[in-house]
Amino acid sequence: MSPIQDKTVGASLLAIGLFVFTYYSIWTLVIPFVDEGHAAHHLFPPQWYAIAIPVFLLVVGVTAVFGFLSFVMLKSGKKAAKKST
């Protein structure tokens, strides 16, 4: 990729990350103190999801990492067994 494309991709990822951080921060730190009838509550899901989504992503991520490590260890163990015989 050219440097211009790298900068564009980097700026896009930075903007997406900043948006997600801001949205999540407002959702978890500000919305609990806003009255229930306020229009801002319609912009955010229920508070339960503020915990459930990160926990789900963490479990999926840890499972993927350990699954990959298990795959690599099994594959390298088979190669070592072939070399020894």
Side-chain angles (χ1 to χ4, degrees):
M1 285 187 4
S2 70
I4 294 174
Q5 288 176 330
D6 286 342
K7 287 182 180 181
T8 304
V9 170
S12 300
L13 291 175
L14 181 64
I16 291 169
L18 184 61
F19 173 76
V20 169
F21 175 76
T22 304
Y23 184 85
Y24 187 78
S25 295
I26 292 171
W27 183 21
T28 56
L29 300 174
V30 175
I31 291 298
F33 300 107
V34 176
D35 292 335
E36 288 292 326
H38 197 274
H41 276 280
H42 298 293
L43 300 174
F44 299 94
Q47 287 296 119
W48 182 82
Y49 291 111
I51 301 299
I53 292 171
V55 168
F56 175 75
L57 292 175
L58 182 67
V59 168
V60 168
V62 168
T63 301
V65 167
F66 282 113
F68 175 75
L69 289 174
S70 300
F71 176 74
V72 169
M73 289 172 61
L74 289 172
K75 195 170 182 179
S76 66
K78 288 180 184 178
K79 282 185 182 179
K82 273 188 176 180
K83 283 185 179 181
S84 66
T85 57

